Amino acid sequence: MKLILLGAPGAGKGTQAEIVSGKLDIPTISTGNILREAIKNETECGVKAKAFMDAGNLVPDEVVVGIVSERIAKDDCKNGFILDGMPRTVRQAEALDAMGVTIDSVIAIEVEDSAIERRMSGRRVCEKCGASYHMEHKKPEKDGVCDSCGGKLVLRKDDAPDTVRDRLRVYHEQTEPLVEFYSAKGILKTVHGDNGIENTTRLIFEALGV
């Protein structure tokens, strides 16, 4: 099964991708991770991406799609994969089509902006070991202190309210049009992601028929 998970920042794509990956025994392909891997391994597309990044420019769509194409050609993807964070734009989706990448289903996880703002602004990360916490759902034993290593828990810049609102704006402008794009292809399935992780997982499996 070849899947795409769509959703705003903080909608829970990464968490659900991990769960679905375990259930279906297919790899999750995170754009950020494979970009770093391609640069490290000095693949053809990785070298191109590094040149753009070193110059302080965004990596063009065709290079990003090339890196994804390199990754899904590997043996562990022969039974399927989950794309998380790709495509980000209709142009990237069209580029995937042009490279012959067939997608079976697209799951759009819908969460209200206000719920995402609450969810993300409650996140805290240990600046020492990177462990994640949440001020509502996963509180540390001692306020502001990591249970694992005793490090200081901080609010990442990405999770600050102004940054979250800006990321949501970019999502609505650039990525949300993909909902209509994949709906027109008849492969879009929408699930509500604001009633807890387990409920969202159940809805995703129901939508996929697994």
Side-chain angles (χ1 to χ4, degrees), residues 3 11-12 31 151:
L3 307 175
T31 313

Side-chain angles (χ1 to χ4, degrees), residues 12 27 39 51 66 71 89 97 99 110 114-115 125 129 135 151 153-154 178:
I39 290 169
R71 177 64 184 87
T89 62
D97 286 351
M99 293 187 92
E110 285 197 347
S114 56
V125 178
C129 74
M135 303 323 289
L153 300 184
V154 296
L178 286 167

Side-chain angles (χ1 to χ4, degrees), residues 63-165:
V63 177
V64 174
V65 173
I67 286 171
V68 171
S69 189
E70 284 177 346
R71 177 64 184 87
I72 64 179
K74 293 186 177 178
D75 283 348
D76 65 336
C77 290
K78 64 179 184 289
N79 294 321
F81 51 81
I82 303 163
L83 290 182
D84 172 17
M86 163 74 190
R88 287 187 185 274
T89 62
V90 169
R91 192 173 164 213
Q92 285 186 358
E94 290 170 341
L96 277 177
D97 286 351
M99 293 187 92
V101 178
T102 305
I103 301 298
D104 298 314
S105 290
V106 178
I107 301 290
I109 304 173
E110 285 197 347
V111 181
E112 294 285 339
D113 282 8
S114 56
I116 284 176
E117 286 186 37
R118 282 197 308 277
R119 187 182 289 183
M120 294 180 77
S121 62
R123 287 178 181 172
R124 296 294 183 273
V125 178
C126 175
E127 61 181 6
K128 198 170 172 183
C129 74
S132 297
Y133 296 86
H134 196 280
M135 303 323 289
E136 288 181 28
H137 313 299
K138 191 186 174 186
K139 293 181 179 179
E141 289 178 15
K142 187 178 177 184
D143 196 29
V145 179
C146 176
D147 295 345
S148 303
C149 72
K152 182 183 176 185
L153 300 184
V154 296
L155 176 69
R156 294 187 317 158
K157 188 184 173 191
D158 274 1
D159 294 332
D162 286 350
T163 309
V164 171
R165 281 190 285 271

